[in-house]
Amino acid sequence: MEFFRGISRRINRLFLITVILPTLIASAYYGLIASNVYISESRFIIYNPQMTPGATSGISSLLAGAGLSGNSYGVYAVQDYLLSRNALASLQTSLDVKAMYSSPQIDWFNRFGGPLYLRKTFENLYLYYKTMVSDGVDATSNISTIKVQAYTPGDAERMNAQLLKLAQHLVDQINARADENSVRFYQAEVNKNEAKVEDSAVAMATYRNLHGVFNPAPQSALQLQLVSKLQDQLIQEESRLAQMLLHTSDNPQIPALRKAIESTRAEIARQTAKVAGASNSLASKSVAYEKLALSMNFAEKELAASIAELEQARIRAQKQQLFIETVVTPNLPDEALEPKRMRGILAVFVLGLFLWGIFSVIIAGVKEHHDR
């Protein structure tokens, strides 16, 4: 009997230790010590107007545009930034986050500098910051939700509003960097193509000066016209000579006419050689000239295309590519949502019962073993 009484006393003592005492401690903590936690929430989207369907309008249009995968990089970049050390450093400068969460008005267990964060280093502050700030993204609509927990309503609202400003600043930086890189790239292309055009022009001028030719094609046409006229003149002179030989064979003009015919034939040969046949003819110069002309024409077209792209890049630089739109502004909470006091006490009570049950089974097993 004494043994059973001892077991009973142990069980009652166990119930006291595992259930009653923890529940009393939890009730004292949640009822008297735990500080109220206020939560401020805001929501925003990042969208690209050029990718937004034109059939929709208003907020539905923004949501449609934000859902496109092309904008996701901006959404997740902002999310990573808001939960980064850089964002915390900016908040520390503008709001003094360390002082905000180290206030003596906050219970010792939850404040920064309490038992979990005794060392007030920046790294510890960053770990604490990530427990108080969250930024979730809806994978379907790309709506981002910022939740800030603080121990006064004003602190929660101010910090949330400042995070929205940091998000806007990051989006502006993304736009500026993308536009700057685009303009710089196309400006380099324009400079390169301008150098090509200049080189082609210099090569063309050098060739013209060296070979004494401006443009073989029209020059050849002029030469051929001159040859044609000389041939007409030769025909007339030969006709006159034939008539003289037929009617007045002793005409003293016949020798002079024959000499003129020979001179005309020599001129025709000389002018024809300028067009084709000779090593320095226009035809021999035409191939090299056409290659230079083609190269210059291609360089000019490349320059025109790169100038057009540069102008488009500058126009895009004047327009913001990504926009951040606040869907829900940071609210000023009028009621503490944390801690869930009754739920916390009940959780401790249920856990105590669970432990009491486990230990009771163990003790009963020990008793049964002892009886055997």
Side-chain angles (χ1 to χ4, degrees):
M1 289 296 292
E2 288 299 326
F3 177 76
F4 293 114
R5 289 174 185 170
I7 293 293
S8 178
R9 284 196 299 270
R10 288 176 187 173
I11 292 177
N12 291 334
R13 191 180 303 120
L14 180 65
F15 186 81
L16 175 67
I17 294 173
T18 58
V19 179
I20 296 177
L21 283 179
T23 303
L24 289 174
I25 293 172
S27 299
Y29 173 72
Y30 284 112
L32 302 175
I33 300 174
S35 300
N36 289 330
V37 178
Y38 298 89
I39 300 176
S40 177
E41 181 177 309
S42 63
R43 296 181 184 180
F44 65 90
I45 56 175
I46 296 175
Y47 68 100
N48 187 334
Q50 298 176 356
M51 300 177 66
T52 303
T56 57
S57 61
I59 192 65
S60 60
S61 175
L62 300 182
L63 295 177
L68 297 174
S69 60
N71 299 316
S72 297
Y73 76 93
V75 173
Y76 291 105
V78 169
Q79 180 189 31
D80 289 344
Y81 173 71
L82 293 181
L83 299 178
S84 70
R85 291 173 175 83
N86 290 345
L88 175 59
S90 297
L91 288 172
Q92 178 62 27
T93 301
S94 58
L95 296 178
D96 195 357
V97 177
K98 182 182 290 187
M100 180 187 300
Y101 287 116
S102 301
S103 171
Q105 304 300 323
I106 304 171
D107 71 85
W108 185 62
F109 295 99
N110 287 316
R111 79 175 67 143
F112 179 65
L116 298 179
Y117 303 94
L118 285 173
R119 294 191 307 157
K120 293 187 177 182
T121 63
F122 183 81
E123 285 301 319
N124 267 350
L125 180 62
Y126 176 62
L127 295 176
Y128 186 90
Y129 169 78
K130 289 197 294 184
T131 65
M132 305 303 289
V133 176
S134 65
D135 181 15
V137 179
D138 189 304
T140 303
S141 63
N142 278 355
I143 295 179
S144 298
T145 302
I146 301 176
K147 288 185 179 180
V148 176
Q149 300 182 52
Y151 295 96
T152 67
D155 287 345
E157 182 192 31
R158 283 193 299 273
M159 193 166 172
N160 202 320
Q162 189 63 29
L163 285 171
L164 277 179
K165 290 181 180 179
L166 292 177
Q168 178 66 67
H169 181 65
L170 178 65
V171 169
D172 293 341
Q173 284 186 325
I174 292 174
N175 286 326
R177 192 176 300 118
D179 295 335
E180 181 181 351
N181 292 340
S182 177
V183 171
R184 185 187 300 115
F185 172 78
Y186 287 113
Q187 183 63 60
E189 288 294 306
V190 169
N191 295 340
K192 181 178 69 175
N193 291 326
E194 283 179 344
K196 285 184 179 180
V197 171
E198 290 176 0
D199 292 343
S200 298
V202 170
M204 180 72 75
T206 302
Y207 185 84
R208 285 170 173 168
N209 293 331
L210 184 63
H211 296 86
V213 61
F214 183 78
N215 192 334
Q219 285 184 255
S220 297
L222 292 175
Q223 291 294 127
L224 291 175
Q225 289 179 8
L226 179 58
V227 169
S228 178
K229 290 181 180 179
L230 290 173
Q231 287 175 342
D232 291 341
Q233 180 180 335
L234 178 61
I235 291 172
Q236 292 176 3
E237 290 175 346
E238 288 177 342
S239 177
R240 286 176 58 196
L241 178 60
Q243 290 179 1
M244 286 182 183
L245 291 174
L246 180 63
H247 299 289
T248 57
S249 57
D250 57 348
N251 192 322
Q253 295 182 358
I254 289 177
L257 188 56
R258 282 177 175 171
K259 188 175 182 180
I261 289 173
E262 290 177 3
S263 178
T264 302
R265 285 175 177 171
E267 184 64 20
I268 290 174
R270 190 171 68 84
Q271 296 298 332
T272 302
K274 289 183 178 181
V275 177
S279 59
N280 62 342
S281 65
L282 291 173
S284 65
K285 299 174 183 177
S286 178
V287 176
Y289 179 87
E290 288 300 326
K291 288 178 65 177
L292 289 173
L294 182 62
S295 177
M296 185 172 181
N297 184 46
F298 184 70
E300 289 174 344
K301 288 182 178 179
E302 280 190 316
L303 177 59
S306 59
I307 289 175
E309 291 291 346
L310 177 60
E311 290 302 315
Q312 289 297 320
R314 286 173 174 167
I315 291 173
R316 287 194 298 269
Q318 296 174 359
K319 298 178 180 179
Q320 201 172 23
Q321 296 176 359
L322 291 177
F323 283 84
I324 181 170
E325 183 72 20
T326 302
V327 179
V328 178
T329 57
N331 66 299
L332 179 65
D334 60 356
E335 181 182 357
L337 299 180
E338 296 288 345
K340 304 292 185 183
R341 301 180 189 276
M342 291 304 300
R343 187 174 65 181
I345 296 171
L346 182 61
V348 171
F349 177 73
V350 172
L351 179 61
L353 287 176
F354 180 72
L355 293 175
W356 177 73
I358 292 176
F359 287 122
S360 297
V361 171
I362 293 174
I363 292 173
V366 171
K367 178 178 73 72
E368 183 179 354
H369 180 73
H370 184 271
D371 290 342
R372 291 179 182 179

